[in-house]
């Protein structure tokens, strides 16, 4: 059997480093409408029996490894939104298990599936609608391969693999009717790509949701977790790549920033200049680690009408296990000395692969080293950046109505959604998605349709 190197779970961190027990776990022109008086906080929790905890509570096991399993569930769950086909995903899962689960077999299998779907059929009989959803599924499968490529035998193919997924996404967008409006919004000195999806070309001013990805999501995930439902309900939906994401990470080499309001503000400027956007009804939603990023933006940007944190997240650094966090010392020299002399020599291939993936959005040198099959030598700089994402001291500045989602068996940021909800002083609602309906685990990977129902039911009541 091939070396079973767990892939970096899509929104994961490392638990059990250097011999400790554990496994891989785990993102303006118009004045705003006056806000109503503060409403009482609402708490809703779906009733659920408590299944026994495990890698995939509720009999959702595709792979024995927890990290790979979460990624596989993420792909499979997209079938209901058109970003995957259950048969395609399960066939790929069977092929990977038969070959021997590893980062190499996972990457290779999903890359080949993406290649097959994005290639024009030889008989050229497929209509535009067929090709539209073929390339959308291709974008998902390339994204699956991208999550594990740094642990494969070809880490240097990461940018090319990202570009294949981006090309598939762009092909999908061109085939939409109407096609999304695309542009580059200036973020400091970097072009920030945006895609504005509209239900039709009427030009009617509509409510708009800005959908924000997490630490290693791709644009196709935003279709699964919001765009399709927004269009069905008569909303515009804007998708964008921010620092540490998509084009800005893999091509422009811009890592995450803790000042996400500086990312959202120019996007809002762009939206508010459009006649087909109702400037009083712009909501901001963040998936996975973006539950932190968008909350930070809402604390400083007053032009949004509502905020949705999916899940609520105050301190991303606490999503890393204690063994990882304890490497960070008072000084850079001390930290990196411990990292390079005491930690790195003892890291297993598994641990090294996960850390490469987890740290690359926060450090361009770490990303470039990983593409060469090497582990980064500067732990201190990206660790301090992740630590700086903490927003405990600013959550009280949020004034807009806020929906905080939480998930039963949340494996990456347990307890943080409830902490954010309790710290908020704005009108707020807390909803916990549970195993009773198959919506457990981080971001409900097997229930994105339920997820979107909760999101848009609340937005339509609130905005």
């Amino acid at each position: 059997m091939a070396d079973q190197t767990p892939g970096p779970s899509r929104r994961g961190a490392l638990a059990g480093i250097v011999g400790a027990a554990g496994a891989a776990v785990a993102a303006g022109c118009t004045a705003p409408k006056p806000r109503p008086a503060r409403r009482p906080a609402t708490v809703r929790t779906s009733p659920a029996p408590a299944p026994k905890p495990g890698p995939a509570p509720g009999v959702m096991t595709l792979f024995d490894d927890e990290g790979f399993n979460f990624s596989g569930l993420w792909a499979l769950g997209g079938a209901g939104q058109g970003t995957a086909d259950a048969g395609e995903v399960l066939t790929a899962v069977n092929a990977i298990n038969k070959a021997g689960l590893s980062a190499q077999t996972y990457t290779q299998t999903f890359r080949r599936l993406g290649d097959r779907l994005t290639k024009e059929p030889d008989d050229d009989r497929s209509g535009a609608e067929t090709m539209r959803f073929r390339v959308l599924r291709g974008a998902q499968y390339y994204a699956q391969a991208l999550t594990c490529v740094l642990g494969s035998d070809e880490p240097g193919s990461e940018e090319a693999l990202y570009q294949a997924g981006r090309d598939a996404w762009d092909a999908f967008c061109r085939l939409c009717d109407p096609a999304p409006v695309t542009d580059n919004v200036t973020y400091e000195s970097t072009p920030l790509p945006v895609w504005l999806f509209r239900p039709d070309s009427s030009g009617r001013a509509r409510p708009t949701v800005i959908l924000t990805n997490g630490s290693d999501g791709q644009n196709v995930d935003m279709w699964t977790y919001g765009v399709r439902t927004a269009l069905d309900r008569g909303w515009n939906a804007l998708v964008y790549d921010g620092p540490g994401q998509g084009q800005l990470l893999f091509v422009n080499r811009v890592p995450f920033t803790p000042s996400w309001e500086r990312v959202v503000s120019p996007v809002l400027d762009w939206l508010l200049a459009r006649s087909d956007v109702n400037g009083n009804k712009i909501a901001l939603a963040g998936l996975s680690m973006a539950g932190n990023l968008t909350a930070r933006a809402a604390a400083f940007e007053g032009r949004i009408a509502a905020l949705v944190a999916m899940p609520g997240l105050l301190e991303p650094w606490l999503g890393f296990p204690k063994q990882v966090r304890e490497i960070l010392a008072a000084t850079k020299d001390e930290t990196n000395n411990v990292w390079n002399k005491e930690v790195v020599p003892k890291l297993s291939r598994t641990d090294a692969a996960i850390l490469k993936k987890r740290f690359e959005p926060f450090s361009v040198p770490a990303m470039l080293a990983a593409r060469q099959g090497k582990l980064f030598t500067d732990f201190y700089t990206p660790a301090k950046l992740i630590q700086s994402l903490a927003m405990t001291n600013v959550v009280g500045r949020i004034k807009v109505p806020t929906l905080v989602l939480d998930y039963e068996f949340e494996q990456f940021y347990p307890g943080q959604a409830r902490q954010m909800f309790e710290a908020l002083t704005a009108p707020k609602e807390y909803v916990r998605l549970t195993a009773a309906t198959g919506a457990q685990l981080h971001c409900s990977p097997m229930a994105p349709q339920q997820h979107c129902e909760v999101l848009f039911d609340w937005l339509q009541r609130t905005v």
Side-chain angles (χ1 to χ4, degrees), residues 132-167:
R132 181 164 78 105
F133 282 98
R134 280 175 62 96
V135 294
L136 180 64
R137 301 198 309 274
Q140 172 66 265
Y141 302 144
Y142 283 131
Q144 287 294 311
L146 187 63
T147 64
C148 296
V149 68
L150 293 181
S152 76
D153 296 342
E154 300 178 278
S157 66
E158 182 183 52
E159 184 175 342
L161 187 53
Y162 160 74
Q163 192 61 57
R166 170 64 184 272
D167 289 346

Side-chain angles (χ1 to χ4, degrees), residues 373-457:
K374 301 175 183 178
L375 198 57
F376 52 94
T377 58
D378 179 9
F379 180 96
Y380 182 86
T381 302
K384 292 296 288 185
L385 175 54
I386 301 168
Q387 196 177 55
S388 73
L389 294 173
M391 56 163 297
T392 307
N393 294 334
V394 301
V395 67
R397 294 177 57 110
I398 298 172
K399 303 303 180 186
V400 296
T402 301
L403 171 64
V404 177
L405 295 190
D406 199 357
Y407 311 97
E408 188 173 15
F409 301 115
E410 165 64 51
Q411 66 271 47
F412 306 146
Y413 308 113
Q416 291 214 39
R418 187 74 200 191
Q419 291 168 10
M420 173 180 278
F421 176 76
E422 291 175 352
L424 284 164
T425 58
K428 58 188 178 180
E429 185 167 346
Y430 171 93
V431 177
R432 186 168 181 253
L433 296 163
T434 71
T437 56
Q440 70 268 41
L441 300 177
H442 181 67
C443 295
S444 302
M446 285 294 289
Q449 292 176 90
Q450 291 182 48
H451 200 280
C452 288
E453 288 165 4
V454 172
L455 166 61
F456 282 94
D457 285 351

Side-chain angles (χ1 to χ4, degrees), residues 159-450:
E159 184 175 342
L161 187 53
Y162 160 74
Q163 192 61 57
R166 170 64 184 272
D167 289 346
W169 169 256
D170 287 340
F172 166 74
C173 290
R174 288 193 297 271
L175 291 169
C176 288
D177 184 18
V181 177
T182 59
D183 204 349
N184 288 305
V185 174
T186 301
Y187 165 73
E188 297 182 347
S189 60
T190 306
L192 191 158
V194 298
W195 296 262
L196 178 63
F197 291 85
R198 303 154 299 155
D200 55 46
S201 300
S202 67
R204 172 185 165 192
R206 295 179 180 272
T208 301
V209 60
I210 302 172
L211 297 167
T212 307
N213 236 321
S215 65
D216 55 358
Q218 300 303 316
N219 292 324
V220 63
D221 298 327
M222 296 294 90
W223 178 268
T224 305
Y225 280 86
V227 176
R228 180 170 181 169
T229 306
L231 298 178
D232 288 345
R233 298 203 184 193
W235 283 59
N236 297 326
L238 183 133
V239 176
Y240 65 105
D241 285 343
Q245 302 171 329
Q247 176 183 305
L248 268 73
L249 174 65
F250 295 113
V251 179
N252 301 125
R253 300 179 180 178
V254 179
F256 272 115
T257 174
S259 302
W260 206 256
E261 69 277 11
R262 293 164 59 186
V263 181
V264 169
S265 290
V267 172
L268 278 168
D269 291 340
W270 186 85
L271 282 173
L272 289 168
R274 297 188 58 86
S275 61
D276 53 3
V277 171
N278 185 330
N280 293 321
K281 296 185 177 183
I282 300 177
L284 181 61
L287 186 69
S288 191
M289 199 186 83
N292 167 270
L293 302 174
T294 51
R296 160 76 192 207
F300 293 93
E301 172 54 75
R303 294 176 292 173
I304 65 169
L307 169 69
V308 185
M310 312 179 293
L313 175 55
L314 292 176
E315 297 187 67
W317 182 234
L318 297 182
F320 287 80
K322 183 179 179 182
Q323 295 93 337
V324 174
R325 289 184 275 121
E326 287 179 345
I327 298 169
L328 185 59
T331 69
K332 183 174 182 178
D333 287 345
E334 182 183 2
T335 298
N336 289 341
N337 187 58
V338 170
W339 168 249
N340 290 301
K341 294 183 178 180
E342 299 180 27
V343 178
V344 171
K346 299 178 183 178
L347 284 177
S348 67
R349 180 180 173 185
T350 294
D351 293 348
I354 295 169
L355 285 170
K356 287 174 185 177
K357 182 62 180 175
R358 290 304 302 126
F359 273 72
E360 73 166 350
F362 306 96
S363 167
V364 171
M367 179 178 71
L368 297 179
R371 290 178 178 179
Q372 298 174 12
K374 301 175 183 178
L375 198 57
F376 52 94
T377 58
D378 179 9
F379 180 96
Y380 182 86
T381 302
K384 292 296 288 185
L385 175 54
I386 301 168
Q387 196 177 55
S388 73
L389 294 173
M391 56 163 297
T392 307
N393 294 334
V394 301
V395 67
R397 294 177 57 110
I398 298 172
K399 303 303 180 186
V400 296
T402 301
L403 171 64
V404 177
L405 295 190
D406 199 357
Y407 311 97
E408 188 173 15
F409 301 115
E410 165 64 51
Q411 66 271 47
F412 306 146
Y413 308 113
Q416 291 214 39
R418 187 74 200 191
Q419 291 168 10
M420 173 180 278
F421 176 76
E422 291 175 352
L424 284 164
T425 58
K428 58 188 178 180
E429 185 167 346
Y430 171 93
V431 177
R432 186 168 181 253
L433 296 163
T434 71
T437 56
Q440 70 268 41
L441 300 177
H442 181 67
C443 295
S444 302
M446 285 294 289
Q449 292 176 90
Q450 291 182 48

Side-chain angles (χ1 to χ4, degrees), residues 54-65 69 73 76 90 93 97:
V59 195
M60 291 185 178
T61 302
L62 303 177
F63 300 108
D64 290 336
D65 173 78
N69 195 66
L73 292 177
L76 185 59
L90 293 175
V93 168
N97 282 325

